[in-house]
Amino acid sequence: MILGLAHSVNGVPIRLTDERWEHILFRRPEMASFIETVLDGVEDPEYILRGYKGTLIAVVHLGERSYLNVVYRELSQQDGFIITARIQPQLDKSKIIWRRDN
């Protein structure tokens, strides 16, 4: 079941499924209140990082030493899905492939 949908900076609809959300919460229960933030992060990130094996990572700065990383894959121009999400203490600037214009 699809819990939410966000459009990436490339205009691709990115699905958040209940299976992926359960995966995120199982590994990181502290993310329970972040479902809307995760979707917003895909839709309006500050940075996109190059991930592993073709994935992309949408990044939103949450505060001092706190970055939400949402890992997702774009399968086509019409479909993609969120793989996982986590909060990291730093931003890996060497992997930035897109930056929001301020």
Side-chain angles (χ1 to χ4, degrees), residues 64-87:
E64 190 175 325
R65 299 189 54 82
S66 184
Y67 295 87
L68 173 65
N69 286 234
V70 182
V71 181
Y72 66 97
R73 182 178 303 279
E74 294 178 344
L75 299 171
S76 69
Q77 275 300 113
Q78 294 78 35
D79 187 38
F81 64 96
I82 292 173
I83 297 168
T84 193
R86 61 185 168 269
I87 296 174

Side-chain angles (χ1 to χ4, degrees), residues 3 8 10 12 19 22 29 32 40 57 74 76 78 85 94 98:
L3 297 179
S8 73
N10 295 323
V12 176
E19 184 274 330
E22 288 174 19
D40 291 345
I57 305 169
E74 294 178 344
S76 69
Q78 294 78 35
S94 70
W98 181 91

Side-chain angles (χ1 to χ4, degrees), residues 4-56:
L5 189 69
H7 287 81
S8 73
V9 296
N10 295 323
V12 176
I14 306 296
R15 298 173 277 120
L16 175 59
T17 65
D18 56 347
E19 184 274 330
R20 289 285 84 200
W21 187 243
E22 288 174 19
H23 164 83
I24 293 166
L25 295 182
F26 178 75
R27 299 192 64 193
R28 297 173 182 87
E30 70 276 8
M31 296 290 294
S33 64
F34 282 82
I35 190 166
E36 289 300 322
T37 309
V38 166
L39 292 168
D40 291 345
V42 170
E43 198 134 308
D44 189 27
E46 293 176 45
Y47 304 97
I48 300 291
L49 308 182
R50 178 182 61 257
Y52 299 105
K53 297 183 180 180
T55 63
L56 299 168

